[in-house]
Amino acid sequence: MLIARVMIDAGDVAWIESPGYGGAYAAAFAAGAEIVGVPVDADGLKIAANARAPRLIFVTPSHQYPTGCLMPIGRRLELLRFAEGVGAAIIEDDYDGEFHYEGRPVAALAAIDPDAFVFYVGTFSKAMSADIRVGYVVVPESMISTFELAQRHLGLLTSATLQTALTEFIERGAYLAHVRRMTRLYRERRDCLIRALAEVVGTRLAVDVPAGGMQLLVRYTGLTDDSDLSRRLLRSGVVARPLSKMFHHRSQERGLFLGFAAWTNAELVDGVKLIGRCIL
């Protein structure tokens, strides 16, 4: 991740959500950071008062990865104040923030305080197609020239033709219409998956119902090895990532991370039946 390379030196402390996105961990590790896995609760990342002060904080406040929780405004303000107090930069990864199903979206950290040292990261590959490998980052004004220089040296360039086509798609209002249409579809699929899980496995799995996004987390307190279950499901044709592999601190929590956006309702129901057979 370009931001990690630019913003931290070897030995600097980086806070990563736990459970959290493995790509952020890998980027911080590659930059030589001392990584601290900070637990999350129902409101997202909790300020770790006893941990070493970070130079960099990575968060997914719109839909925490993988729990799906939405960070409320109070926690966001707390995080911004803390980061300012210790002189830390924040990477705000809004990887699928276009899809929101419950209530109203909360303003991005970068929008709450324009003067804060926040790097807002997004992508079009989730909202549109995985074939459109176009990401973007909104950086503090003081860092624009630094990032332009870093981008030129790293060769991270996107086709001008693709950028032009994407710009026209947005300006014509087609992108907004697409997001609205897919939001309705994905919400229907999310609800279908939740109903199927309730019918097939009942209370054996506790579902973290996400306010948005394209996947959800199910927890299973009786599961001793969710990695083994994930492997067995994969052999049956169901992709379900184990929750235990997403922690960056010690935890006994177990569960499965299930996507729903790419499947029809019938396919989701069939997948849940396979999960039920493995668990029951």
Side-chain angles (χ1 to χ4, degrees):
M1 185 179 290
L2 173 62
I3 298 177
R5 297 183 188 181
V6 172
M7 292 307 305
I8 57 179
D9 298 317
D12 287 341
V13 175
W15 282 12
I16 305 293
E17 296 169 318
S18 183
Y21 176 49
Y25 183 97
F29 180 83
E34 178 184 332
I35 301 172
V36 176
V38 180
V40 302
D41 60 14
D43 290 336
L45 181 139
K46 298 166 56 179
I47 302 299
N50 297 325
R52 285 184 57 193
R55 175 82 180 278
L56 187 69
I57 303 173
F58 179 91
V59 290
T60 52
S62 293
H63 305 126
Q64 199 279 326
Y65 185 96
T67 66
C69 69
L70 174 66
M71 183 180 287
I73 186 66
R75 179 68 61 84
R76 295 183 188 224
L77 291 171
E78 180 185 4
L79 179 60
L80 287 168
R81 288 193 297 266
F82 172 81
E84 182 181 7
V86 300
I90 298 175
I91 299 178
E92 179 179 10
D93 186 0
D94 197 10
Y95 61 99
D96 63 358
E98 292 87 353
F99 305 120
H100 198 83
Y101 313 130
E102 310 293 346
R104 299 175 66 97
V106 182
L109 295 169
I112 294 173
D113 185 357
D115 296 325
F117 213 57
V118 177
F119 298 81
Y120 182 86
V121 180
T123 177
F124 290 99
S125 65
K126 296 290 187 182
M128 296 185 64
S129 168
D131 294 329
I132 300 179
R133 306 300 296 173
V134 179
Y136 56 88
V137 54
V138 181
V139 307
E141 187 173 359
S142 62
M143 296 297 297
I144 292 177
S145 60
T146 300
F147 269 72
E148 289 177 340
L149 180 63
Q151 183 186 44
R152 286 199 296 271
H153 280 283
L154 291 173
L156 299 176
L157 302 176
T158 301
S159 163
T161 302
L162 179 57
Q163 292 187 61
T164 301
L166 188 56
T167 299
E168 182 179 343
F169 190 69
I170 294 172
E171 290 179 344
R172 287 194 292 110
Y175 177 71
L176 180 58
H178 166 76
V179 168
R180 287 174 174 168
R181 182 171 62 253
M182 300 313 293
T183 297
R184 291 192 295 269
L185 177 62
Y186 292 165
R187 177 172 182 168
E188 177 187 336
R189 292 178 176 178
R190 180 203 65 169
D191 294 345
C192 173
L193 177 58
I194 293 171
R195 288 194 303 270
L197 287 167
E199 292 172 1
V200 174
V201 297
T203 59
R204 289 178 180 266
L205 289 177
V207 180
D208 288 7
V209 179
M214 306 170 71
Q215 56 274 316
L216 58 78
L217 179 66
V218 293
R219 303 174 191 264
Y220 185 26
T221 56
L223 187 62
T224 58
D225 189 352
D226 52 4
S227 294
D228 177 65
L229 177 58
S230 176
R231 287 190 292 269
R232 288 191 283 126
L233 287 170
L234 185 59
R235 289 195 294 269
S236 300
V238 176
V239 178
R241 297 184 60 195
L243 173 61
S244 61
K245 299 298 185 182
M246 301 181 190
F247 283 97
H248 308 304
H249 75 288
R250 289 187 177 183
S251 174
Q252 297 300 314
E253 293 185 63
R254 299 291 182 265
L256 298 171
F257 192 44
L258 306 175
F260 53 79
W263 314 106
T264 66
N265 288 359
E267 290 171 330
L268 291 171
V269 171
D270 289 342
V272 171
K273 290 178 180 177
L274 291 172
I275 294 174
R277 290 172 192 164
C278 288
I279 291 178
L280 301 178

